[in-house]
Structure formats: C-alpha cells, structure tokens
Amino acid sequence: MNIHLYLRLNQNDMRIRDVNKIELVKEKAVELLVKVGFEGFTMSKLAKLCNISVATLYIYYKDKDDLILQIGLEETQKLSAMMLEGFDPNFTFEDGLRHQWKHRAKSMLENPLSCQVIEQLRTSTYQEKIFESMTETFKQTLGVFMDRAVAKGEIDLMPMETYWSVAFGPLYALVRFHNEGRSIGGRPFILTDEILWASFNLVLKAFKK
Amino acid sequence: MNIHLYLRLNQNDMRIRDVNKIELVKEKAVELLVKVGFEGFTMSKLAKLCNISVATLYIYYKDKDDLILQIGLEETQKLSAMMLEGFDPNFTFEDGLRHQWKHRAKSMLENPLSCQVIEQLRTSTYQEKIFESMTETFKQTLGVFMDRAVAKGEIDLMPMETYWSVAFGPLYALVRFHNEGRSIGGRPFILTDEILWASFNLVLKAFKK
DNA sequence: AATATAAATGAATATTCATTTAGTTATGAA
DNA sequence: TTCATAACTAAATGAATATTCATTTATATT
C-alpha cells in the first residue's frame, strides 16, 4: 500500500529522480488549461502532454481538484508577488498609481498564460478558495496607501471598491483586449506603452481634485 | 402534475406537450452552470434538475455543445439587447455615457445569473463562437457615437480600446464586486446608486478636456 | 555491493458521462 | 374512434475519465 506524501513535496527528504518533472507538470497544466479550458482538462491529457504516466500525477497531487487548486494558487501568488514588488504605501498618490500600472501591466503582459488561468479560475467554482489568499495581501497594502493619500488630501474619500474600479478597471480591460488579441472592432490590438500611459493619464485625471 | 398546452412552435413544427419545459431547461441550465461551473456541468445533472429524461434534452438540442452554445448565445443577446435599448449615437458624450452606465448597470444587476454565465463563457473555449455576434452590434453603435463625440470636440481622439476601457472598465469592476458579494476587504459590498454615480462622475472627469 | 525506500510506471478498475435505442404516451387530423 | 406522428421516457451502451494496483527502477545510505 502506497502512502502518498503529496504535502511534503518541498522537503529535502524526497528523492527527486527528475527535478524538472514537477515543474514540467505545472507548466503543462497551465498550458493545457488555457488551451482546452476546464471543460476539456483531463488527467490523461496532462500526463500525455508531459510524457509521463497518469499515476505519477497522483504521486504529486491527491486528485484532480488538488492539482488544479495548488497550481492555481501558485500562479496567483506568483503574479500578485510580482505586482506588489517594490511598492511602498508612502509613495505619493500619483507615483503609487503609476507604479501599480507599470508593475501590473508588466506582470500580466509577460505572463499571459498565468493571466488566462487566473481569469478562468476567477469565474469557476474554485474562485473562493483561491482568492481568499490573494485579496488579503492586496487589501493591506492598498488600503494603507489609499488612507494615506486621503489623509494627505491627494484624493477624496471614497469606498475602496470605487477607488479600485476606477484606478485599475481600465488597466485590466486593456490587458484583456491585448491578450484576446482582437479588439472591439476586428483589428488586432496591441497594448503599446503609448496607449497604456495615455489611458493612465485619463485615469489620473479622474482622481484629480 | 403536468399542464399540457396545445401550442405550436414556429420553428420545427414541434408538438410541444409542455411549453414550459424548454424554458425550464434554459433556466435550469443557467442555474446549473453558475452553480457547478463548466467542469461540473453534465447532461444528467441538468435532466435531473428539470425532472425530465436526459433523452428529452437531445430532442431540444443536438448535443451538449449545442445546448451550451445556444443557451449562451441567448443569454448574451438578451443582455446586450437590454444594454443598447434606447441608446442613440446622437446623444451628447455625457448623456450617452450616462445612458450606457445606467442601462448596463441595470441589466447586469437585474440578471446576475446571466452575467455570471457570460463571464464564464468569456473565459472558456466557447468564447470565440459567442462573442463574434455580440461585439459586432456594439462596435457599430459605439463606434459611431465615439466618432461623433470626437468630431463635436467633446473628447480627444483615442483608440477605441482606450475609450472603452476607461469608460466601462470601472463599471464592470463595480458590478463584479457587487455580484461576488464580497469586497477587496472582507465586508459585503453592495453597489448602491450613490456609489455608482460617484464612480461615474470620476470617469466623466477623466474624459473632460 | 547490498539494502531500503520512494519515485515512477503500465495496466487495470470503477465510475461517470454523453449519446442512443426501443418503446410508450399524448396529440391533431381524418 | 382510429391512425399517424412526434414528444417523451427508462434503460442501455460504449467511450472517456479519474483513480488505484502491482511492479519496476533509481538513488541514498549502510
């Protein structure tokens, strides 16, 4: 009888025959999920894509749900870490907002697959389990930043949701247009620096007193 | 107890024993899709939820794909029709934008299930097939509206995507917060008229010359 | 080198699923 | 009433799928 130690993966006592194998699984899982969606994602497809046995997947993960959940969690954490990198709540409002636009755009444009997986998870039944963790981090940092901006008289007092929506809603829309590769019209859309910062300036104007 | 209404569908000369049955199927399909997501949606679950035989579903729809596609299409068309209702490209920029915020918010808040299904479809593999049709209608109407606003000197010239993102990105974010029922913090969030129009005013300011 | 241990696997197993079949029931027309 | 037709159904089917089992293989430790 096998005991599956899927919780102890990162400890040192695991004999890794092929170190790249788990990483390969994660990478291919994201790829597959983006390609075929939740409705087409199966363990055998993933195994075949990795050129490993299905059984091996069950050494790494308890079951399909666990696999998707863990990988999803990793992706969201990876991306949110990138987004908050170098952010300081003491920034002026304008600098802070600009920093966030820069880092969020960069993170998302450089990791389109992660982005798409996270979007899929957002609208799936895994939603709740995944976004508890993520929002906590943001809540803290952005909350403090906003409170200070209000205290400094840089912006008016408003609900966090209003602030977030006006500040980042446009950015996320732009990135979605870019990632979907087609616009409201039929032409392909590329989110250039020029377009990004022109949009940013509009948003900044929205907050000006 | 069944109520039999002897009516004919204009479509296929189909004798409907129970007119409400197809409507029931559509309604429950949306419900189920929202509840269990694509990954959990099965024909038998749907049939059981409707208290009909699985085989009956195959009288209404060719197969599972057809079912999801048709129902998804109907939902998107229903919602987009509501959104464009009463919109006139000759509106001033401010009036037009206000009209859109009002109608889009109303449509989405009154149809949370439709909203969630459409969001799920957006990120699924059905995406392309469904959103071709929808974007066409919007493209036309909004394109004309925007061109006129630029011509009248109400707003600066900018790519359609910039305009759309800044104008509606915040609205969609607010509605998502509302539908998800929880905010960036932990409190439940309700999109009140006050919050909606306060956010609108910020967005409007973004476009002011 | 021998041993122990865990990773890895190919091949089963059990289950679920979409779809079909074969038959029943309700309906409209003659 | 009778007949033809189409809605409707329970049960069956076969394919796909998640998961497990019995072994084999690699590696660290002795």
Side-chain angles (χ1 to χ4, degrees):
Chain A
M1 158 107 153
N2 267 344
I3 299 168
H4 300 280
L5 298 178
Y6 45 85
L7 289 177
R8 306 177 55 192
L9 281 185
N10 290 326
Q11 293 181 6
N12 304 329
D13 56 351
M14 196 170 76
R15 291 190 214 162
I16 300 287
R17 196 173 297 178
D18 184 347
V19 190
N20 303 316
K21 199 161 281 178
I22 299 183
E23 284 308 315
L24 182 75
V25 168
K26 289 177 190 168
E27 190 189 317
K28 293 292 179 187
V30 168
E31 244 177 78
L32 186 62
L33 212 49
V34 167
K35 192 174 174 191
V36 301
F38 274 112
E39 63 274 19
F41 185 95
T42 71
M43 296 297 266
S44 0
K45 277 184 195 164
L46 177 57
K48 188 163 288 178
L49 207 61
C50 299
N51 283 316
I52 62 171
S53 161
V54 220
T56 307
L57 294 175
Y58 284 86
I59 296 171
Y60 299 153
Y61 302 97
K62 182 168 144 278
D63 52 28
K64 190 186 172 185
D65 247 41
D66 181 51
L67 185 150
I68 289 177
L69 214 58
Q70 275 196 232
I71 292 180
L73 252 150
E74 248 177 85
E75 290 296 315
T76 50
Q77 275 160 3
K78 189 183 78 181
L79 217 61
S80 34
M82 280 188 80
M83 285 178 179
L84 281 181
E85 192 189 285
F87 183 77
D88 185 341
N90 290 312
F91 279 152
T92 65
F93 177 73
E94 184 171 333
D95 285 350
L97 196 57
R98 182 172 279 116
H99 178 279
Q100 278 296 289
W101 270 59
K102 189 175 172 181
H103 274 72
R104 289 188 190 228
K106 188 173 188 288
S107 310
M108 293 192 280
L109 293 179
E110 281 177 0
N111 302 279
L113 292 188
S114 309
C115 246
Q116 278 180 264
V117 166
I118 293 175
E119 278 243 332
Q120 282 184 5
L121 289 169
R122 265 199 79 83
T123 60
S124 80
T125 48
Y126 296 94
Q127 198 197 44
E128 223 166 310
K129 285 172 189 162
I130 286 197
F131 288 91
E132 280 168 8
S133 64
M134 186 161 89
T135 51
E136 279 304 311
T137 329
F138 278 116
K139 180 183 98 183
Q140 295 285 343
T141 318
L142 278 184
V144 171
F145 171 66
M146 233 191 96
D147 289 346
R148 290 186 186 174
V150 172
K152 280 184 274 183
E154 293 174 317
I155 56 170
D156 290 325
L157 181 62
M158 64 188 84
M160 182 65 143
E161 289 78 12
T162 300
Y163 165 69
W164 197 99
S165 300
V166 177
F168 301 119
L171 174 59
Y172 279 80
L174 284 171
V175 171
R176 257 216 316 268
F177 281 133
H178 177 94
N179 280 342
E180 284 173 11
R182 67 179 151 67
S183 75
I184 308 179
R187 298 151 284 111
F189 172 70
I190 292 162
L191 179 49
T192 60
D193 263 20
E194 193 193 338
I195 292 180
L196 181 75
W197 295 116
S199 310
F200 173 79
N201 285 330
L202 292 178
V203 168
L204 197 61
K205 185 139 55 83
F207 287 105
K208 282 265 167 68
K209 276 189 159 173
Chain B
M1 163 188 25
N2 277 342
I3 299 168
H4 303 299
L5 297 177
Y6 311 138
L7 287 178
R8 274 174 177 279
L9 272 196
N10 357 355
Q11 294 180 347
N12 315 334
D13 217 26
M14 207 167 37
R15 280 191 223 159
I16 297 295
R17 210 173 282 179
D18 184 347
V19 188
N20 302 316
K21 199 161 282 179
I22 298 184
E23 284 308 314
L24 182 76
V25 168
K26 288 177 190 168
E27 190 189 318
K28 293 292 179 188
V30 169
E31 244 178 78
L32 185 62
L33 211 49
V34 168
K35 193 175 174 191
V36 302
F38 274 112
E39 64 274 21
F41 185 94
T42 71
M43 296 298 266
S44 0
K45 278 184 195 164
L46 177 57
K48 188 164 285 175
L49 206 62
C50 299
N51 282 317
I52 62 172
S53 160
V54 220
T56 307
L57 295 174
Y58 284 87
I59 295 170
Y60 300 154
Y61 301 97
K62 183 168 142 279
D63 52 28
K64 190 187 173 186
D65 246 42
D66 182 51
L67 186 150
I68 290 178
L69 217 55
Q70 273 195 234
I71 292 180
L73 250 149
E74 249 177 83
E75 290 296 315
T76 49
Q77 274 160 4
K78 190 182 79 183
L79 217 62
S80 35
M82 282 187 78
M83 285 179 178
L84 280 182
E85 193 188 285
F87 183 78
D88 184 340
N90 290 312
F91 280 151
T92 65
F93 177 73
E94 183 170 336
D95 286 349
L97 196 56
R98 183 174 279 113
H99 178 280
Q100 278 295 291
W101 269 61
K102 189 176 172 181
H103 275 71
R104 288 188 191 227
K106 189 173 188 290
S107 311
M108 292 193 280
L109 293 178
E110 282 177 0
N111 303 280
L113 291 189
S114 307
C115 247
Q116 279 179 265
V117 166
I118 293 175
E119 279 241 331
Q120 281 186 4
L121 288 170
R122 265 199 79 83
T123 60
S124 79
T125 48
Y126 296 95
Q127 200 197 44
E128 224 167 310
K129 285 172 189 164
I130 287 194
F131 289 91
E132 278 168 10
S133 63
M134 187 162 91
T135 50
E136 279 304 311
T137 329
F138 278 115
K139 179 183 98 180
Q140 294 286 342
T141 318
L142 278 184
V144 171
F145 171 66
M146 233 193 98
D147 288 346
R148 289 185 187 174
V150 172
K152 280 184 277 184
E154 292 175 317
I155 57 170
D156 290 324
L157 180 62
M158 63 188 85
M160 182 64 144
E161 288 78 13
T162 300
Y163 165 70
W164 197 100
S165 301
V166 177
F168 301 119
L171 174 60
Y172 280 80
L174 285 170
V175 171
R176 258 215 317 269
F177 280 133
H178 177 94
N179 281 341
E180 284 173 13
R182 68 183 149 65
S183 75
I184 307 181
R187 300 150 285 111
F189 172 71
I190 293 164
L191 179 49
T192 60
D193 264 20
E194 194 194 336
I195 292 179
L196 181 73
W197 295 116
S199 310
F200 173 79
N201 286 329
L202 291 179
V203 168
L204 198 60
K205 184 140 54 84
F207 286 106
K208 283 265 167 68
K209 276 186 160 176

